[in-house]
Amino acid sequence: MNIKTFKYDKLKNLSYYLISSLVSMGIGVLINPFLSLGLSHNDFAIIGYYASFGSLLTPLIAFSFNQYYARNYFLVEEIERKKILNTLLSLFISFGLFILIIFLVGYYYYHNKYVSSISFSPYAILSFLPFYFSCFYNIYLLDLRMQNKAKKYAIISISNSIIAALLSILLVYFLRYGAIGRLSSLLVVASLFGIYSIKTINFKFIIDKTITVKALSFCWPLTISGLLSFFFIGIDRTFLANLNDNHSLGLYNVAIQITGYLAIFSTVILQTFDPDLYKYTSLKKHKKVLYIALLIIGINLIPNFLFIILSKPLISLLTYGKYTEAALYANILCLKNVATTFAFVMSGILIGYGFPKFELINRMVGAILAFIMYKYFIERWGYLGAAWGQSISWIAMGLISTICLIIVKNKGNENA
């Protein structure tokens, strides 16, 4: 393939990823006024609180097997690649379901003892089940990206967003089921697309012992690292729930939801170039890795900067003026979007170079700093402190990853 053809294919794929991102973001923006009218401050508090546990539950169920698949995609032949994919899906089905049940039981006892402002049933079950089905959907989307099937990726992603939006409007706006309606719609869509993903992949239940041992060995540090992400993006709402102010927690979660639309754009840009990051790190093409990293971060600065300028009128428009106060938190959380991109890019580079254990050390140090920071910031500044904690903690994570990478690379050069 010549350079012109490569650039054309990359631009075409990027356009599909961007279209799917923009359409998904646009659908979220369009339905947001309807959701705002159908959901109370308390509903937003409940939805956001339980969503924060995704950073704990997703790594436990998925066990970071997606990273193992991406890491080995270009290193094995197609037959072996298919065997890896089937083994990982089989582990999701068996191991993931077991973990989900254990998590639900453990959280039930924690909730009864420590949480008084938010109900357990039926919100916890409705919130946690989608993370299980999303494992199958996410690895299917990863497989499409690794194959550069951007058009199919876009069709599937947009279909997911449309169905979720229509079902949410029906249950929240027309039938007035509040938080239960919103969470039920997300569960139904996650289930449908999870099952669809398994069928489309032509899945066969296989647990290859060699692949399983290698995957577990590679992924356990990444899984612990993923669990530690809770201290960056989840523990803030655990602390805030103890303030027993669901009105303010609702506003805070509205800000997270709206800035999350921009985070979708950031995620898609990162996913677009993820295969290249893994490819060039595995091939030791350092200049190309640096170029891609700077490109990802630079692109993500633009929409977040524009949103900060226009946040107040935009949020007023998107919520029919009901949650305009959330703009104060949203402006700070936009900085978090950029900081998160920076941190994930550096984390991906560390993993791509084959240093998952260093990523674990990095995340452990960052988690301790984040815990201390959140506790101090929230005790002193409440919800504003939580928003600043999110932004600053992810900047710190990115810097720690960068320092770790420099140390590892310098050590490697000395030993060469």
Side-chain angles (χ1 to χ4, degrees), residues 158-416:
I158 292 171
S159 299
N160 182 292
S161 298
I162 291 173
I163 296 172
L166 293 175
L167 195 54
S168 293
I169 290 175
L170 173 64
L171 295 178
V172 174
Y173 181 72
F174 288 106
L175 300 181
R176 299 290 177 176
Y177 284 129
I180 292 176
R182 175 61 171 166
L183 294 174
S184 297
S185 66
L186 296 177
L187 173 57
V188 170
V189 173
S191 305
L192 288 174
F193 278 82
I195 295 168
Y196 168 81
S197 299
I198 293 174
K199 292 191 69 175
T200 304
I201 291 172
N202 294 320
F203 164 71
K204 293 181 180 179
F205 193 93
I206 300 171
I207 298 183
D208 183 275
K209 185 177 178 181
T210 302
I211 293 171
T212 301
V213 171
K214 287 181 179 178
L216 291 173
S217 176
F218 182 85
C219 293
W220 75 260
L222 299 178
T223 299
I224 296 175
S225 176
L227 292 173
L228 292 172
S229 294
F230 177 72
F231 293 94
F232 301 91
I233 57 178
I235 202 170
D236 56 332
R237 280 164 281 184
T238 301
F239 283 139
L240 291 172
N242 292 329
L243 299 179
N244 294 319
D245 181 5
N246 282 3
H247 180 88
S248 296
L249 183 57
L251 288 173
Y252 184 77
N253 286 321
V254 168
I256 290 176
Q257 176 181 302
I258 292 176
T259 54
Y261 299 141
L262 295 174
I264 292 172
F265 176 83
S266 302
T267 300
V268 171
I269 294 298
L270 184 60
Q271 290 174 342
T272 302
F273 292 99
D274 245 358
D276 296 308
L277 274 180
Y278 280 109
K279 180 179 181 179
Y280 293 128
T281 50
S282 63
L283 297 176
K284 312 297 183 186
K285 295 187 177 181
H286 310 307
K287 288 185 179 179
K288 289 187 176 181
V289 172
L290 177 61
Y291 170 76
I292 292 170
L294 292 174
L295 183 63
I296 293 170
I297 296 167
I299 292 174
N300 282 307
L301 276 168
I302 299 170
N304 286 284
F305 177 74
L306 291 174
F307 180 85
I308 290 173
I309 297 173
L310 302 169
S311 61
K312 198 163 186 178
L314 279 175
I315 291 178
S316 179
L317 178 66
L318 292 176
T319 64
Y320 277 120
K322 190 176 176 181
Y323 298 103
T324 307
E325 297 167 89
L328 182 62
Y329 306 127
N331 288 340
I332 303 170
L333 291 170
C334 273
L335 300 178
K336 188 237 9 178
N337 283 341
V338 179
T340 303
T341 300
F342 169 52
F344 275 104
V345 166
M346 297 312 303
S347 173
I349 292 173
L350 265 179
I351 294 168
Y353 277 124
F355 303 117
K357 292 181 182 179
F358 285 96
E359 165 62 12
L360 173 59
I361 295 170
N362 164 12
R363 195 62 65 95
M364 289 175 67
V365 173
I368 293 169
L369 292 175
F371 179 85
I372 296 170
M373 187 185 304
Y374 274 125
K375 187 170 177 58
Y376 177 76
F377 280 18
I378 290 173
E379 285 178 354
R380 185 152 188 177
W381 297 294
Y383 290 87
L384 280 176
W388 278 112
Q390 285 213 36
S391 301
I392 296 172
S393 61
W394 281 110
I395 292 172
M397 271 301 302
L399 291 175
I400 293 170
S401 291
T402 304
I403 293 168
C404 187
L405 182 63
I406 292 171
I407 292 172
V408 169
K409 297 301 291 181
N410 287 340
K411 202 169 185 180
N413 291 335
E414 289 174 3
N415 295 333

Side-chain angles (χ1 to χ4, degrees), residues 49-188:
Y49 171 76
Y50 281 112
S52 69
F53 287 96
S55 56
L56 271 180
L57 194 49
T58 299
L60 280 172
I61 294 176
F63 209 78
S64 302
F65 288 142
N66 285 17
Q67 284 94 326
Y68 178 80
Y69 184 62
R71 165 68 178 165
N72 289 276
Y73 189 89
F74 296 107
L75 303 178
V76 298
E77 297 297 326
E78 186 175 350
I79 295 175
E80 181 68 13
R81 190 184 302 146
K82 184 66 177 176
K83 189 189 292 184
I84 291 174
L85 182 57
N86 279 321
T87 297
L88 298 182
L89 286 168
S90 301
L91 291 171
F92 285 155
I93 290 173
S94 52
F95 177 75
L97 183 59
F98 173 75
I99 292 296
L100 175 63
I101 294 169
I102 296 297
F103 186 90
L104 268 170
V105 173
Y107 176 76
Y108 174 77
Y109 287 104
Y110 165 83
H111 187 97
N112 284 343
K113 189 171 183 179
Y114 296 107
V115 183
S116 59
S117 60
I118 293 173
S119 299
F120 174 85
S121 180
Y123 305 110
I125 296 172
L126 291 175
S127 298
F128 295 158
L129 274 175
F131 295 117
Y132 174 71
F133 292 103
S134 293
C135 290
F136 310 108
Y137 177 62
N138 289 335
I139 201 168
Y140 173 54
L141 291 183
L142 171 63
D143 189 53
L144 291 177
R145 292 201 311 274
M146 300 306 285
Q147 295 180 66
N148 289 318
K149 292 183 177 180
K151 184 177 180 180
K152 190 170 184 178
Y153 175 97
I155 293 171
I156 298 298
S157 298
I158 292 171
S159 299
N160 182 292
S161 298
I162 291 173
I163 296 172
L166 293 175
L167 195 54
S168 293
I169 290 175
L170 173 64
L171 295 178
V172 174
Y173 181 72
F174 288 106
L175 300 181
R176 299 290 177 176
Y177 284 129
I180 292 176
R182 175 61 171 166
L183 294 174
S184 297
S185 66
L186 296 177
L187 173 57
V188 170

Side-chain angles (χ1 to χ4, degrees), residues 25-47:
M25 188 165 51
I27 290 170
V29 169
L30 288 173
I31 71 167
N32 202 82
F34 297 99
L35 296 181
S36 297
L37 289 173
L39 297 172
S40 66
H41 287 77
N42 187 59
D43 288 329
F44 274 115
I46 291 169
I47 294 168

